[in-house]
Amino acid sequence: MRNGEEILKLQNQLCFPIYLCAKEMTRKYNQILKKFDLTYTQYIVMMYFWEVKTSNVKNLGKVLLLDSSTLTPLLKKLEQKGYILRTKRESDERNLVIELTRKGENLKNKIKSVPLKMGSCVNLEENEAKQMVLLAYKILENLRKDEE
C-alpha cells in the first residue's frame, strides 16, 4: 500500500472495534432485557437509581451523558411502568425530582441475573474484564478532557 493509507484502514482504528462492541453489547443486552420489558437505556437509568434513589434530570444526564430530550420520554416510560416517580419542585417547576419507587427497587432483585448473563456472553476472565473497564474509563476521561 502507498505510504499513509494503512492509517485509514478500519482494522487499524481504535474507534471501530469499540463501536462494534458497544453496538453488539447493546443488542445483546436488549435481547436479555426483553423479558423484563426494559431497553438497555432504561436499564442503565434503573441502575443509576438503584444507587442514588433520588435525583434530577440534570444529574442523571451528566452521569449517563444523555440530554434531556433523550431522557424525558425514557423517564416517562419508566414512570408508566411504576419504577420511578417524577414530581415537580414547588420552588422551581422546571426541575423534576425523580425517585425510585418500591416497585423499582423490587425490580433490582429480579434483574440480578442480567450482568451474569452478559458476563458469560463476553467471556472474559475477571482480571481481563476489570482491565477493560479501567481502559474504557481512561479513554472516556481523555476524550472528555477538552469539554470540561
Side-chain angles (χ1 to χ4, degrees):
M1 260 203 197
R2 286 185 275 146
N3 192 13
E5 288 186 19
E6 284 293 311
I7 199 168
L8 296 177
K9 284 185 149 186
L10 273 176
Q11 72 229 30
N12 294 336
Q13 305 304 305
L14 175 61
C15 61
F16 191 60
I18 292 172
Y19 162 76
L20 293 176
C21 285
K23 189 174 177 223
E24 286 304 302
M25 285 190 83
T26 302
R27 184 185 64 77
K28 185 58 97 172
Y29 264 110
N30 282 328
Q31 288 175 350
I32 294 169
L33 292 167
K34 191 176 233 174
K35 79 177 198 177
F36 299 101
D37 190 32
L38 287 177
T39 65
Y40 175 71
T41 313
Q42 291 170 344
Y43 175 64
I44 63 173
V45 167
M46 291 305 297
M47 285 193 292
Y48 172 81
F49 282 109
W50 291 327
E51 289 181 34
V52 302
K53 310 297 184 224
T54 302
S55 187
N56 60 35
V57 175
K58 183 179 180 181
N59 290 338
L60 174 62
K62 191 173 184 178
V63 170
L64 300 183
L65 299 180
L66 295 171
D67 59 35
S68 62
S69 65
T70 300
L71 287 171
T72 299
L74 194 146
L75 293 169
K76 284 181 181 179
K77 285 263 191 197
L78 290 173
E79 185 174 40
Q80 289 168 356
K81 294 176 185 191
Y83 297 144
I84 61 166
L85 183 63
R86 299 176 314 139
T87 53
K88 292 181 180 176
R89 284 196 178 155
E90 288 181 24
S91 59
D92 182 1
E93 288 194 10
R94 295 171 297 163
N95 195 354
L96 288 176
V97 176
I98 308 157
E99 299 174 82
L100 185 66
T101 65
R102 180 168 284 150
K103 184 177 179 181
E105 186 66 44
N106 291 339
L107 176 65
K108 182 177 167 181
N109 295 323
K110 296 176 187 173
I111 211 162
K112 284 184 178 176
S113 63
V114 172
L116 298 173
K117 285 181 183 174
M118 277 305 296
S120 67
C121 292
V122 173
N123 198 22
L124 293 176
E125 298 292 327
E126 186 177 348
N127 63 327
E128 291 174 319
K130 285 179 180 178
Q131 186 64 29
M132 183 68 212
V133 169
L134 289 173
L135 287 172
Y137 277 117
K138 183 177 181 176
I139 290 168
L140 182 60
E141 181 181 323
N142 290 336
L143 291 171
R144 304 245 342 130
K145 270 183 188 173
D146 295 339
E147 295 178 28
E148 293 175 355

